[in-house]
Amino acid sequence: MLSVGLTGGIGAGKSEVSRLLASYGAVVVDSDKIAREVVEPGTPGLAAVVAEFGPGVLTPEGALDRPALGAIVFADPGRLAALNAIVHPLVRERSAQLEAAAGPDAVLVHDVPLLAENGLAPLYDLVIVIDASTETRLDRLVGLRGMTPDEARARMAAQATREARLAIADVVIENDGSRGELEARVREVWAGLLE
């Protein structure tokens, strides 16, 4: 089994690369998806988040109000650390379960947004970093995700620097160009992983 860490700053295109790798046959363990699962209504994770941040982080239906929680944690590094202390152990536990279920010949891609921030590079055989310029990322966050420029900059500032991510990369996939250019580069990387 080849264990690959996949990361990139918000708006760099990591999720698209993850989807492409999955379409080629990679077993993808998506930390963002798992992070949502572990705080679904009725889970111990959601109960712990509410205990820490109060009922104001719930929607009227009892689900996690992500924008309300985001407004708290992305404005205060201490509160972000408190949230991470709840969610990250739950994500690691679920990821380990998915990894154990993958076959011995699998290319296991761990889609980890905060890989650099949490010093996780040594856990993987190889680290792939999706990179895009600050301007490209900002344009995507505002244009595609509907964030204000200030919200987008705050999210970007809460993550590792571009230089810190590139410093841990074994492979870099540049994503400032077209979708076709991205697909061609991901196919090339996939072929390398199979070797």
Side-chain angles (χ1 to χ4, degrees):
M1 178 183 304
L2 179 65
S3 181
V4 177
L6 177 68
T7 196
I10 187 169
K14 178 185 54 60
S15 296
E16 185 58 30
V17 171
S18 184
R19 279 191 290 277
L20 287 168
L21 289 170
S23 77
Y24 300 146
V27 175
V28 175
V29 178
D30 184 334
S31 293
D32 273 349
K33 182 178 176 191
I34 295 169
R36 289 188 292 276
E37 289 174 7
V38 300
V39 292
E40 286 178 349
T43 62
L46 182 59
V49 169
V50 173
E52 177 68 31
F53 295 95
V57 298
L58 291 176
T59 66
E61 298 77 30
L64 185 61
D65 184 338
R66 293 183 182 285
L69 182 59
I72 295 167
V73 301
F74 290 112
D76 181 343
R79 300 306 282 152
L80 179 59
L83 176 63
N84 289 342
I86 295 167
V87 175
H88 288 176
L90 299 171
V91 170
R92 280 193 297 272
E93 180 182 335
R94 179 66 180 132
S95 295
Q97 293 168 351
L98 293 170
E99 185 171 336
D105 296 329
V107 175
L108 191 65
V109 175
H110 290 266
D111 183 333
V112 185
L114 301 178
L115 193 151
E117 291 82 346
N118 293 317
L120 302 177
L123 299 179
Y124 306 103
D125 299 319
L126 183 82
V127 173
I128 299 173
V129 172
I130 314 310
D131 186 50
S133 69
T134 301
E135 296 76 20
T136 297
R137 294 169 56 210
L138 186 61
D139 288 348
R140 288 176 182 154
L141 294 174
V142 171
L144 300 176
R145 297 202 195 173
M147 292 183 189
T148 67
D150 286 343
E151 289 170 335
R153 284 187 195 94
R155 295 286 177 99
M156 289 165 51
Q159 294 185 334
T161 64
R162 186 177 182 192
E163 294 74 22
R165 275 190 299 277
L166 292 173
I168 63 165
D170 296 300
V171 175
V172 176
I173 296 176
E174 299 287 345
N175 189 21
D176 280 310
S178 70
R179 168 140 178 125
E181 290 169 326
L182 178 65
E183 290 175 355
R185 177 67 175 128
V186 174
R187 274 194 304 276
E188 177 184 306
V189 168
W190 176 249
L193 294 176
L194 294 179
E195 289 175 9

